Amino acid sequence: TMPKGLRKLKNLVALNLSANELEAFPDEQMESLVRLVALDISCNRLTTIPKLLSLVSLQSLDLSYNRLEKLEPIGEAGTYGALDRLEHLDLRSNFICDPNEIKRLKSLKSLRRLLFCSDSELKSWKRRRQGSHAVPPPPNTIVCRAGYRTAVRTIVPSLEILDDVPMKTSGTNLGSKATLRVDWVALRRF
């Protein structure tokens, strides 16, 4: 359950509510937390993301291991400049399947690290899949789609790390013209 009186903690800079079996996070609890820098609400049962409009100081947001399918509140808050300082976003082990949800992250101009799936989880899934076609995909199935990394790189150009793997961002690191062409084709299919 949510702690009572959370709204009175106006100078709070870090809040960890992980593993509390929360099914909802009342939006009104967030209104006074304008100095919050780190919010961890991982390992709960959340199906929706709380409104984040008042979190103007937030730099790290951990929403991993929940039951999220949509990223709309993140996109909305970013559009209004509320998440201008957000650098780290962890969305591992949710149920984000629709590739259009990635577009909601476009307004996060300071985002440096984004996790939909850890690199080790993805490699493990790929290894298991080689031996059998019946292996279920990782929770966020968008990571299995062709062109996933290219799409994220295009939508969130400020990213330095995606799923624990550094992004290639400067001229010569992007690859050859052939690689870029293949990436563009994959992005259109994504």
Side-chain angles (χ1 to χ4, degrees):
T1 62
M2 290 294 300
K4 295 186 183 202
L6 188 61
R7 293 177 13 186
K8 295 177 184 176
L9 303 174
K10 296 180 193 283
N11 293 320
L12 192 67
V13 292
L15 179 59
N16 185 338
L17 292 170
S18 63
N20 276 293
E21 299 184 11
L22 298 175
E23 294 181 2
F25 197 101
D27 295 333
E28 66 273 2
Q29 293 283 3
M30 306 295 277
E31 292 172 3
S32 65
L33 302 177
V34 295
R35 293 195 172 119
L36 198 65
V37 173
L39 176 61
D40 183 346
I41 46 179
S42 64
C43 303
N44 283 294
R45 297 177 182 168
L46 299 175
T47 56
T48 59
I49 300 171
K51 293 204 183 253
L52 305 167
L53 292 172
S54 64
L55 302 181
V56 295
S57 300
L58 198 65
Q59 295 175 15
S60 177
L61 177 59
D62 190 343
L63 294 163
S64 61
Y65 298 91
N66 277 290
R67 298 173 181 174
L68 304 172
E69 294 179 13
K70 305 278 183 200
L71 301 176
E72 188 172 350
I74 292 174
E76 177 187 21
T79 300
Y80 290 107
L83 297 176
D84 280 351
R85 297 181 182 175
L86 189 67
E87 295 180 2
H88 173 84
L89 178 58
D90 191 341
L91 295 162
R92 287 174 296 150
S93 292
N94 280 287
F95 300 106
I96 302 165
C97 303
D98 183 354
N100 289 317
E101 291 302 309
I102 292 175
K103 294 176 185 173
R104 298 187 189 278
L105 305 177
K106 187 174 187 168
S107 60
L108 302 179
K109 305 295 183 203
S110 297
L111 195 62
R112 302 285 178 257
R113 185 168 187 239
L114 175 62
L115 295 165
F116 278 108
C117 180
S118 74
D119 185 48
S120 60
E121 288 173 322
L122 191 56
K123 284 179 181 176
S124 173
W125 172 75
K126 286 178 179 178
R127 266 194 312 274
R128 286 181 289 142
R129 195 180 101 184
Q130 287 176 349
S132 168
H133 294 291
V135 176
N140 290 330
T141 59
I142 55 170
V143 302
C144 302
R145 296 181 66 109
Y148 159 72
R149 288 187 67 81
T150 302
V152 174
R153 179 176 59 202
T154 302
I155 293 165
V156 189
S158 62
L159 269 186
E160 295 172 1
I161 298 172
L162 174 61
D163 301 331
D164 292 333
V165 177
M167 298 294 287
K168 297 175 183 175
T169 56
S170 65
T172 56
N173 290 339
L174 282 174
S176 67
K177 289 180 183 178
T179 302
L180 288 174
R181 184 171 177 207
V182 169
D183 283 353
W184 180 246
V185 169
L187 179 59
R188 286 197 322 229
R189 288 184 194 153
F190 189 77

